């Protein structure tokens, strides 16, 4: 039997996740110290220095939401829904997807006004194990790789170092723009019930998961302590909509924007150090990358790629991870051929540079991508039918789309600084040693790094496939 990946071996040795069985009774008897120790050990065995950096286009780092993390929503159903969206991409189209190791979150208490009880920490650990169990076959296959980045990261410093001249102004401008959007589109309400204070926010779903958030406190948030009228209204059972001035004192809109920015910049920096492409299932992180990059021509090219070269790919929806793996194994050559075509398309877009236009985009899709995509579609449909027969049930129809684009990445010397800030010194040192002249002045040429956009949609009966223009 092959060796277990370090994280699964840790959980197996702790006797809390063995095979497909979670020992619920054991976890519910854990002390706070035992939970913290599991988090610390999980962080150690998944630190980036223990991860082999693949450095190719089809190794990816997923956003926190796609990773099944507790952000932006800690509900188990929501976390599983997100990780289930990642499964077919990881199983069918990627060599490795690096995901945030959310078990390492248990090493420390969350910094919040709400003190998490021991029972809540136990049930959070059980939720974590449920999410891991959902993708265990892919972790065992090395297709999903949990990673814990160490060290403290100043997101703005990484951004300024990464994107060169003018990045400070672009960073500040984009942060203000996003904070302004939260201020204009998000409502914030203070409530008090049964001795618990809460702040509830509602906004469009592209800003907030589910369109709302809820945070609880044992005491009123400190900036509101000198506002007795607001507190009195809440104590009388009123749902108090906070004014712009109260929101500014609480820094709610700025913190919401920083939460999005922190995730994006952190993932971008880790993707640089591990040599992977940025993977998202929403447009907002991609828009932020483009804004900080400040390259209007790249934005124009990316728009043409999304409009004309997005692949509507075969997708085995509603199958377990192990069954989706069977599809890839049966049609390995077809998947490889499609990815080679996608590679050629990326090269063609890159080679054409600023001259890349709509006619080029249409031609690249028709001549390079479409033929191999059609062959892959036929092969996967046949394999999918066989797997469905084996599992003995019908499979719900879904549609999936893959698009790609470029953003201006880190300069080599700046990459080392960012890597050190993330605690990735060994990874960066190995990379620099292997590259030889990597840090020489003549090689300090800004390169264009890749992002991939992965979207899936459940198809209602009688509806067509997702269109490229909808990506």
């Amino acid at each position: 039997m092959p060796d277990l990946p370090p994280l699964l071996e840790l959980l197996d040795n702790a006797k809390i996740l063995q095979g497909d069985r979670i020992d619920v009774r054991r976890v519910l008897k854990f002390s706070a110290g035992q939970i913290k120790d599991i988090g610390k050990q999980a962080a150690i065995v998944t630190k980036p220095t223990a991860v082999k950096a693949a450095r190719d286009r089809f190794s990816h780092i997923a956003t926190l939401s796609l990773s099944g993390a507790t952000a932006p929503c800690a509900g188990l159903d929501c976390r599983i829904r997100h990780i289930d969206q990642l499964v077919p991409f990881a199983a069918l189209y990627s060599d490795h997807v690096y995901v945030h190791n959310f078990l390492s979150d248990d090493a420390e208490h969350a910094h919040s006004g709400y003190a998490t009880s021991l029972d809540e920490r136990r049930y959070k650990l059980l939720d974590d194990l449920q999410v891991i169990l959902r993708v265990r076959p892919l972790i065992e296959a090395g297709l999903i790789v949990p990673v814990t980045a160490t060290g403290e990261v100043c997101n703005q410093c990484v951004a300024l170092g990464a994107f060169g001249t003018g990045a400070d102004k672009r960073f500040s401008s984009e942060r203000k723009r996003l904070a302004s959007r939260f201020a204009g589109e998000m409502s914030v309400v203070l409530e008090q019930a049964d001795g618990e204070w809460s702040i509830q926010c509602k906004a469009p779903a592209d800003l907030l998961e589910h369109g709302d958030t809820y945070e609880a406190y044992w005491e009123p948030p400190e900036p509101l302590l000198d506002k007795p009228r607001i507190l009195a209204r809440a104590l009388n059972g009123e749902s108090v909509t906070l004014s712009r001035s109260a929101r500014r004192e609480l820094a709610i809109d700025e913190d919401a924007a920083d939460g999005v920015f922190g995730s994006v910049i952190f993932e971008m920096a880790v993707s640089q150090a591990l040599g992977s492409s940025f993977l998202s299932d929403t447009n907002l992180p991609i828009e932020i990358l483009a804004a900080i990059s400040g390259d209007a021509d790249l934005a124009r090219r990316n728009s043409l790629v999304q409009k004309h070269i997005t692949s509507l790919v075969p997708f085995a929806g509603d199958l377990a991870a192990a069954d989706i793996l069977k599809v890839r194994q049966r049609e390995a050559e077809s998947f490889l051929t499609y990815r080679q075509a996608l590679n050629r398309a990326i090269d063609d877009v890159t080679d054409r540079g600023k001259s890349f236009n709509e006619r080029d985009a249409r031609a690249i899709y028709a001549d390079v991508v479409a033929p191999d995509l059609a062959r892959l579609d036929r092969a996967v449909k046949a394999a999918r039918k066989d797997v469905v027969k084996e599992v003995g049930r019908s499979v719900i129809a879904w549609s999936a789309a893959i698009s790609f684009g470029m953003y201006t990445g880190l300069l080599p010397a700046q990459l080392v600084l960012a890597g050190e800030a993330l605690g990735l010194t060994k990874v960066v040192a190995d990379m620099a040693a292997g590259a030889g002249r990597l840090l020489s002045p003549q090689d300090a040429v800004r390169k264009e790094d890749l992002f991939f956009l992965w979207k899936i949609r459940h198809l209602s009966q009688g509806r067509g496939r997702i269109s490229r223009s909808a990506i």
Side-chain angles (χ1 to χ4, degrees):
M1 181 178 178
D3 293 337
L4 287 173
L7 183 62
L8 295 182
E9 184 178 11
L10 166 66
L11 300 176
D12 185 89
N13 290 339
K15 295 181 172 57
I16 57 176
L17 177 61
Q18 296 180 309
D20 61 356
R21 179 179 173 272
I22 298 171
D23 193 330
V24 176
R25 289 185 179 180
R26 183 174 179 83
V27 172
L28 291 179
K29 293 179 181 178
F30 267 14
S31 66
Q34 287 175 304
I35 294 173
K36 187 172 183 178
D37 285 345
I38 289 288
K40 286 183 174 180
Q41 293 174 50
I44 291 171
V45 300
T46 59
K47 59 186 180 181
T49 51
V51 175
K52 183 179 179 181
R55 309 202 176 283
D56 64 65
R57 287 173 174 170
F58 292 99
S59 290
H60 304 85
I61 179 165
T63 57
L64 292 179
S65 60
L66 268 178
S67 298
T70 55
C73 178
L76 179 58
D77 289 347
C78 190
R79 294 177 64 186
I80 287 178
R81 177 173 60 84
H82 280 300
I83 202 77
D84 281 352
Q85 289 179 334
L86 179 64
V87 164
F89 183 88
L92 301 178
Y93 298 103
S94 181
D95 287 333
H96 312 280
V97 177
Y98 302 112
V99 299
H100 170 60
N101 171 30
F102 40 78
L103 279 173
S104 64
D105 299 342
D106 294 322
E108 302 292 342
H109 283 292
H111 300 291
S112 169
Y114 181 81
T116 309
S117 70
L118 177 56
D119 275 346
E120 286 173 317
R121 297 187 69 191
R122 288 166 174 164
Y123 280 105
K124 190 268 182 184
L125 177 55
L126 285 174
D127 286 353
D128 290 346
L129 296 177
Q130 290 276 11
V131 177
I132 290 172
L133 185 58
R134 196 82 174 183
V135 294
R136 179 176 183 130
L138 299 188
I139 296 176
E140 291 177 342
L143 294 173
I144 287 182
V145 183
V147 174
T148 302
T150 58
E152 294 297 327
V153 183
C154 169
N155 290 335
Q156 186 157 346
C157 291
V158 172
L160 301 187
F163 295 109
T165 305
D168 53 347
K169 293 181 179 178
R170 295 194 298 273
F171 185 98
S172 297
S173 176
E174 184 63 12
R175 179 181 176 274
K176 288 179 181 177
R177 185 198 67 79
L178 188 58
S180 177
R181 189 179 168 199
F182 274 108
E185 300 180 41
M186 181 172 70
S187 65
V188 182
V189 172
L190 174 72
E191 292 183 344
Q192 197 277 345
D194 299 324
E196 181 179 279
W197 294 82
S198 66
I199 288 181
Q200 300 178 53
C201 303
K202 292 186 178 181
D206 64 323
L207 287 179
L208 292 179
E209 182 80 11
H210 308 305
D212 58 33
T213 64
Y214 175 94
E215 189 162 1
Y217 305 84
W218 291 124
E219 301 290 340
E222 188 173 342
L224 297 180
L225 293 178
D226 61 350
K227 301 186 182 301
R229 291 183 181 179
I230 291 178
L231 299 182
R233 289 167 61 191
L235 284 168
N236 287 331
E238 184 179 344
S239 297
V240 184
T241 299
L242 297 182
S243 65
R244 287 287 184 95
S245 62
R247 290 167 64 153
R248 278 194 297 270
E249 291 188 44
L250 288 166
I252 284 179
D253 302 310
E254 292 78 6
D255 286 349
D258 285 346
V260 177
F261 260 77
S263 176
V264 170
I265 300 302
F266 173 77
E267 288 147 19
M268 181 274 293
V270 174
S271 77
Q272 298 292 317
L274 293 178
S276 57
S277 301
F278 190 104
L279 177 65
S280 176
D281 62 338
T282 63
N283 288 85
L284 185 58
I286 306 305
E287 293 169 1
I288 292 172
L289 280 179
I292 301 175
S293 294
D295 191 323
D297 184 67
L298 270 184
R300 179 190 64 83
R301 281 185 273 167
N302 290 341
S303 178
L304 290 175
V305 167
Q306 289 195 33
K307 184 177 180 181
H308 297 292
I309 312 182
T310 292
S311 299
L312 305 179
V313 295
F315 175 66
D318 206 34
L319 286 175
D323 295 319
I324 297 178
L325 269 179
K326 294 177 183 177
V327 175
R328 176 167 176 159
Q329 291 162 355
R330 294 186 185 193
E331 297 300 332
E333 185 175 346
S334 297
F335 282 107
L336 180 61
T337 302
Y338 163 70
R339 290 206 335 198
Q340 289 171 341
L342 197 57
N343 251 328
R344 292 196 300 274
I346 294 169
D347 288 338
D348 285 349
V349 172
T350 303
D351 291 344
R352 282 171 169 77
K354 292 185 178 181
S355 67
F356 178 69
N357 56 38
E358 189 162 6
R359 180 181 296 178
D360 293 331
R362 292 179 183 274
I364 289 171
Y365 182 80
D367 299 339
V368 178
V369 177
D372 287 307
L373 183 58
R375 282 191 284 271
L376 176 64
D377 191 55
R378 291 192 296 270
V380 170
K381 282 180 178 177
R384 180 173 168 273
K385 287 180 180 179
D386 291 340
V387 172
V388 168
K389 289 178 183 177
E390 290 179 9
V391 299
R393 60 178 173 82
S394 61
V395 176
I396 299 172
W398 298 75
S399 178
I402 296 176
S403 188
F404 65 88
M406 286 151 275
Y407 65 95
T408 305
L410 297 170
L411 294 176
Q414 295 159 345
L415 170 58
V416 172
L417 294 176
E420 289 175 347
L422 288 165
L424 307 176
T425 50
K426 183 178 184 300
V427 172
V428 173
D430 290 346
M431 178 195 68
R437 297 186 305 116
L438 178 66
L439 302 181
S440 64
Q442 59 266 38
D443 282 344
V445 178
R446 190 174 305 280
K447 63 189 181 70
E448 294 172 355
D449 295 289
L450 283 173
F451 67 78
F452 284 78
L453 189 60
W454 165 251
K455 289 191 175 183
I456 64 176
R457 181 175 299 173
H458 178 213
L459 299 181
S460 300
Q461 191 171 8
R463 298 211 173 205
R465 301 186 71 175
I466 185 172
S467 67
R468 285 197 291 275
S469 62
I471 299 303

